Amino acid sequence: MTEKHLILEQADPAVFFGPGNANLRMLRALCPKLRIIGRDNVVKVMGDEEEIGHFETLFTALEHHCARHNVLTEEDILGIIKHPGRHDEGTPGVIVYTTSGKPVTARSENQQRIVEAFRRRDMVFAVGPAGSGKTYTAIALAVRALKDKTVKKIVLCRPAVEAGEKLGFLPGDMKDKIDPYLQPLYDALEEMIPAAKLQEHIDNHVIQIAPLAFMRGRTLNDAVVILDEAQNTTTAQIKMFLTRMGRNTKMIVTGDRTQIDLPARERSGLIEAMRILKNVEGIAFIETDKRDIVRHRLVTRIVEAYEAESRRAKAQEQAQEQEQEQTDGQQAAQ
């Protein structure tokens, strides 16, 4: 009798084994000549060497499906047994799957442009209003790259700038202090990676989430690196971030030029970078707009209302300037 240990490296064991080990029991029923034991992330198989070889092929296909789709049902197991090669066929348009098995796709033309730009370029700037899917799409692309093993890690960072509020002293260690700034990134990751697997990735530094200041001095190789809320960086900060790029690394920079929380005298590094780098080969610039907003329909209306107010205030300011110029001209003539 031969014994072999198979390791679940990509899939979450809880998802692979199923609720109450239902999937494991099904595999035992489908492979009666083998003794199959699952514990933690290890599947121990005992039996005839040839039978174990067949099971190993099935195991690889099941793990691949589980890691890609974040679900594994009895129907999936039967389908993979009947059609062994079909699990390798990706569904067109799907970036990744959520933890509930729901496909994540580009939901607008500009989101699709971000996906295409990420495929063709090593650095992508995605700029647009709140709710237009910039960060979510970027993280989905990073998770897919990690699942496909084209990179070894994901690095996500944000500038630790308060949105018009003073949070004051935050208790706890360094992680506790910075997590409030990074929660939107955790939210997206938790939708796409099962909780146990996500925690394992964070513990092993496969997924790193940190404030922008922590990037200084690093060289990031074999990674997808995302800078979120880049409108709140200074020129020096974004230059420091962009020059962290190493071998086999892709960068995505997201931001919203209408939500700058920097002090009034400080210029946004994102706006400066887009102006300075606009003609640099290898960098893509994607502008999203209110048509790309995928949150509640009221978000679109809110954005439109603020845009209208901004145009009204600008027109009023120009009119006041013209009136002042006329007044100054009349006084000079007198």
Side-chain angles (χ1 to χ4, degrees):
M1 178 178 288
T2 303
E3 178 178 315
K4 189 159 190 177
H5 291 202
L6 305 175
I7 310 297
L8 286 167
E9 296 180 347
Q10 303 176 54
D12 183 348
V15 178
F16 186 89
F17 294 142
N21 285 336
N23 294 342
L24 193 60
R25 290 197 300 272
M26 185 176 187
L27 289 174
R28 288 169 181 156
L30 292 169
C31 306
K33 296 181 181 181
L34 296 173
R35 187 181 177 196
I36 304 171
I37 301 172
R39 180 173 296 174
D40 296 328
N41 68 331
V42 179
V43 177
K44 183 167 71 173
V45 190
M46 292 168 282
D48 178 74
E49 187 172 350
E50 185 176 350
E51 290 289 334
I52 290 177
H54 292 317
F55 179 82
E56 189 171 2
T57 302
L58 173 62
F59 174 88
T60 301
L62 292 174
E63 183 186 18
H64 182 90
H65 178 92
C66 185
R68 179 183 290 273
H69 295 264
N70 286 320
V71 292
L72 185 65
T73 65
E74 294 182 0
E75 291 78 11
D76 294 330
I77 295 172
L78 291 174
I80 290 170
I81 289 175
K82 291 178 181 178
H83 307 284
R86 187 171 294 176
H87 70 278
D88 286 326
E89 298 175 7
T91 305
V94 174
I95 305 172
V96 292
Y97 292 83
T98 67
T99 53
S100 61
K102 181 181 177 181
V104 176
T105 61
R107 296 177 60 183
S108 69
E109 182 179 344
N110 284 323
Q111 287 182 18
Q112 184 59 39
R113 289 177 63 208
I114 294 173
V115 174
E116 290 298 318
F118 181 81
R119 182 176 60 83
R120 299 192 313 268
R121 306 289 176 86
D122 289 334
M123 186 177 291
V124 179
F125 282 75
V127 180
S132 56
K134 308 178 301 295
T135 301
Y136 195 80
T137 301
I139 291 179
L141 290 167
V143 170
R144 184 181 68 181
L146 186 65
K147 285 178 177 287
D148 291 345
K149 296 186 176 181
T150 57
V151 297
K152 295 180 180 178
K153 61 189 173 189
I154 297 172
V155 181
L156 309 174
C157 63
R158 267 187 162 201
V161 176
E162 296 160 352
E165 300 178 66
K166 295 297 182 184
L167 300 181
F169 174 77
L170 293 174
D173 59 16
M174 181 60 71
K175 183 177 184 301
D176 294 328
K177 295 177 190 296
I178 64 177
D179 273 359
Y181 297 102
L182 307 173
Q183 192 57 49
L185 305 180
Y186 285 111
D187 291 343
L189 286 170
E190 286 167 357
E191 281 196 40
M192 301 176 203
I193 302 176
K197 196 68 180 176
L198 176 57
Q199 189 58 52
E200 178 188 328
H201 283 330
I202 292 173
D203 291 342
N204 294 332
H205 304 292
V206 174
I207 294 179
Q208 303 171 23
I209 308 176
L212 178 59
F214 284 32
M215 296 296 105
R216 186 171 298 280
R218 300 184 65 183
T219 300
L220 302 169
N221 298 317
D222 299 307
V224 175
V225 189
I226 298 173
L227 173 59
D228 192 33
E229 299 289 349
Q231 76 275 2
N232 288 327
T233 61
T234 65
T235 298
Q237 285 175 329
I238 200 167
K239 179 183 176 184
M240 178 272 291
F241 171 81
L242 296 177
T243 53
R244 301 306 94 200
M245 194 173 195
R247 299 184 307 275
N248 189 38
T249 288
K250 285 180 175 280
M251 283 188 166
I252 306 178
V253 179
T254 68
D256 179 358
R257 284 180 289 199
T258 67
Q259 293 191 358
I260 298 173
D261 300 313
L262 293 170
R265 292 173 295 176
E266 195 79 66
R267 302 186 68 178
S268 170
L270 174 64
I271 296 174
E272 287 289 284
M274 292 182 69
R275 178 182 63 81
I276 294 168
L277 304 176
K278 63 182 179 181
N279 295 320
V280 175
E281 185 178 354
I283 302 178
F285 296 91
I286 309 299
E287 295 267 0
T288 62
D289 55 40
K290 61 188 177 186
R291 294 172 297 178
D292 301 297
I293 293 176
V294 292
R295 292 179 184 167
H296 194 286
R297 60 181 177 274
L298 278 177
V299 175
T300 302
R301 298 172 190 170
I302 290 168
V303 170
E304 288 174 344
Y306 273 94
E307 287 179 349
E309 174 61 20
S310 178
R311 289 193 296 269
R312 186 199 65 77
K314 188 174 182 180
Q316 184 178 10
E317 184 180 340
Q318 289 175 344
Q320 290 174 346
E321 289 177 355
Q322 290 175 357
E323 183 178 345
Q324 184 63 44
E325 288 176 359
Q326 291 175 356
T327 302
D328 292 345
Q330 291 172 359
Q331 291 176 348
Q334 293 175 358

